[in-house]
Amino acid sequence: MSEKPAPAIELQDVHLSLGRGAARVHILKGVSLSLAAGEATGLVGPSGSGKSTLLMTMAGLERPDSGLVRVAGQDLGKLDEDGLALFRGRHIGIVFQSFHLVPTMTARENVALPLELAGAPDAFARAEAELRNVGLADRMDHYPAQLSGGEQQRVAIARAVAPDPAILVADEPTGNLDESTGRSIVDLIFALRRERAATLVLVTHDLSLAALCDRTVRLRAGRIDTAPAEMAIA
């Protein structure tokens, strides 16, 4: 009998609070979750439910107060900040709502940046290939301010997938885009995920977008919610 494959992402009884003193808020409250390799998961829930914080915890950008976070077989709690940064660079691609491009770098330079940090000798050639892959072959030398919102998000996606990560996480990737542009970005993310057989975790308030995933996980008040999805998106 073959062994069950290890999950791509595993959380066990994760608690996380943010802020200091009287302003400290308990965000994640005993979250346990297991995501299979190659699976697409949509994280949904009301504003303030903890879904973005959960995503950042999975990506090693937030450290829990207690509990286990294991990604690609690595216990993130055992890594220091430098180790976490190195691990993310190798295994996790992150797409944010606000693009987070370096304004003084061209599209090519933005996409090449994580590859250069990882010591890839062909960083710019790979960056150019990724930009062609997202439909920006003629925009490589443009700076973020010279690009539309949709084009900037395409650059951000190219940057996220350039290191060929096994895990891709996206936090409201269409939140700053109009409906038509947002749909094209969604199509691109899912196409790249299928092409690379990557594990995808997507935070969204849009149930129709979440429905494109293999499964939907709903959060409410920092806990995984078992209520019907229509109730969870208050």
Side-chain angles (χ1 to χ4, degrees):
M1 183 175 179
S2 60
E3 291 186 9
K4 186 177 180 180
I9 300 173
E10 182 181 9
L11 291 85
Q12 295 179 11
D13 196 24
V14 168
H15 290 260
L16 185 146
S17 298
L18 296 175
R20 294 180 179 275
R24 192 164 178 81
V25 179
H26 195 180
I27 307 293
L28 300 179
K29 304 169 184 175
V31 173
S32 294
L33 184 64
S34 180
L35 306 182
E39 184 177 36
T41 302
L43 297 181
V44 300
S47 178
S49 61
K51 54 190 185 294
S52 290
T53 301
L54 177 57
L55 190 80
M56 293 302 101
T57 302
M58 291 177 180
L61 292 170
E62 295 285 1
R63 285 189 182 271
D65 304 323
S66 62
L68 170 74
V69 180
R70 182 181 288 119
V71 179
Q74 172 66 55
D75 180 351
L76 299 191
K78 294 182 177 180
L79 299 177
D80 61 16
E81 292 304 318
D82 289 341
L84 270 175
L86 185 61
F87 180 84
R88 278 195 302 270
R90 290 176 175 171
H91 298 279
I92 305 172
I94 307 173
V95 180
F96 298 98
Q97 177 177 332
S98 300
F99 318 139
H100 291 306
L101 300 178
V102 180
T104 56
M105 289 185 171
T106 64
R108 179 190 287 107
E109 290 167 340
N110 265 284
V111 177
L113 182 59
L115 297 171
E116 288 186 295
L117 292 174
D122 56 347
F124 281 90
R126 287 169 62 181
E128 291 171 5
E130 294 296 353
L131 286 167
R132 285 192 293 270
N133 202 26
V134 300
L136 293 179
D138 60 343
R139 309 293 273 174
M140 294 188 189
D141 294 317
H142 288 67
Y143 291 90
Q146 298 172 310
L147 302 172
S148 69
E151 288 171 335
Q152 290 185 64
Q153 191 60 296
R154 286 175 180 270
V155 174
I157 292 168
R159 180 182 60 188
V161 302
D164 200 24
I167 297 165
L168 181 63
V169 301
D171 189 6
E172 297 279 10
T174 64
N176 285 340
L177 306 173
D178 62 70
E179 185 176 354
S180 175
T181 304
R183 177 53 60 180
S184 69
I185 291 298
V186 168
D187 291 343
L188 175 62
I189 288 174
F190 277 87
L192 290 170
R193 173 249 169 177
R194 288 191 298 270
E195 175 186 310
R196 297 159 194 254
T199 303
L200 172 65
V201 187
L202 173 70
V203 165
T204 181
H205 66 278
D206 185 344
L207 278 179
S208 64
L209 176 52
L212 299 174
C213 297
D214 299 315
R215 68 187 285 203
T216 300
V217 174
R218 298 179 295 274
L219 272 79
R220 181 178 290 276
R223 294 183 172 89
I224 293 178
D225 188 6
T226 57
E230 291 77 8
M231 295 173 60
I233 309 299

